[in-house]
Amino acid sequence: MSRSYDLVLEPDLPPVDFPLPDLPANEDLWIFGYGSLMWRPGFEHLGVKDAQLFGYHRAFCVSSVVHRGTRKKPGLVLGLDKGGSCRGKGILCSAAIREPVIDYLYRREMVTSVYVPKMVRIKIGSTDEMVPALTFVADPAHEQYCGKPAIEDAARIIAEAHGRGGPNRDYLASTLEHLDDFGIADGPLHKIMALIDRMD
């Protein structure tokens, strides 16, 4: 029996001219989410599991000039930066819709090309199983890459920035709410939020 899948492909997302990853034919694809993909993947999937990526960590390393800031007053959004490890979610995409899902994710994540698609290996659940997965890492050569701001600087930027998607502070608060719901501890993000709360 054929099965239909609905992709949440926003009509204003432009196509991205970037090659597809080299994948084995007819295999389901794991996608590693570390931010909003964890709770809003935007496509039908075969399941979501706890996952860990080694060699990268979640950080406010990307300047936002549209959704959570402006060119005059940039905000900060999350990216995967080199070093350490990151707990997130592995989302299993059916081979039947693998190509359109990848196209959707490219349009969603690579509007300004500050993120780069990369095939990595992630650990699934509490087992030692390692599987290949697609994720999006921050490009340190891109103008929006801002490295690792001091916690005090990150708190000040996030507290003051506002973009098309709303206040930068709301972005951080929503991220922490979902991470806490998933039982994913992220001390640096909580420290930033605590500093912002003390600014009130």
Side-chain angles (χ1 to χ4, degrees):
M1 179 183 295
S2 63
R3 186 177 184 184
S4 63
Y5 294 85
D6 292 326
L7 298 184
V8 184
L9 182 55
E10 292 87 346
D12 60 340
L13 289 178
V16 177
D17 184 18
F18 205 93
L20 295 177
D22 185 16
L23 300 170
N26 303 317
E27 287 191 8
D28 299 336
L29 173 67
W30 285 100
I31 294 157
F32 180 72
Y34 58 90
S36 62
L37 277 178
M38 291 193 291
W39 57 87
R40 189 174 59 86
F43 58 90
E44 189 170 343
H45 51 75
L46 300 177
V48 178
K49 292 188 176 182
D50 292 339
Q52 188 164 11
L53 171 64
F54 298 95
Y56 291 88
H57 64 283
R58 180 174 32 244
F60 276 114
C61 60
V62 175
S63 291
S64 177
V65 296
V66 176
H67 294 294
R68 298 295 174 174
T70 64
R71 287 283 178 185
K72 291 185 177 180
K73 202 174 190 64
L76 288 173
V77 291
L78 293 169
L80 282 176
D81 209 358
K82 284 190 174 181
S85 65
C86 179
R87 287 185 61 201
K89 295 290 183 179
I91 307 159
L92 188 58
C93 171
S94 166
I97 57 167
R98 193 176 64 180
E99 281 69 26
V101 164
I102 292 173
D103 177 68
Y104 160 68
L105 291 174
Y106 276 25
R107 292 172 185 247
R108 171 172 166 171
E109 301 295 328
M110 297 167 57
V111 175
T112 64
S113 300
V114 66
Y115 300 108
V116 176
K118 185 177 179 66
M119 291 301 298
V120 296
R121 294 189 68 79
I122 59 174
K123 185 168 79 72
I124 294 296
S126 58
T127 70
D128 292 327
E129 181 185 7
M130 301 290 292
V131 299
L134 173 66
T135 195
F136 296 85
V137 304
D139 179 2
H142 196 278
E143 64 176 0
Q144 286 177 253
Y145 175 79
C146 59
K148 185 178 180 180
I151 287 179
E152 294 79 7
D153 292 335
R156 175 184 51 79
I157 292 169
I158 293 171
E160 297 175 355
H162 190 290
R164 185 184 299 169
N168 204 170
R169 175 178 177 160
D170 289 354
Y171 171 85
L172 172 57
S174 176
T175 298
L176 285 173
E177 179 183 355
H178 286 95
L179 290 178
D180 289 345
D181 285 345
F182 292 143
I184 298 176
D186 198 311
L189 298 194
H190 277 284
K191 289 179 181 178
I192 292 172
M193 192 77 247
L195 286 175
I196 293 174
D197 287 341
R198 289 205 289 270
M199 294 176 185
D200 293 343

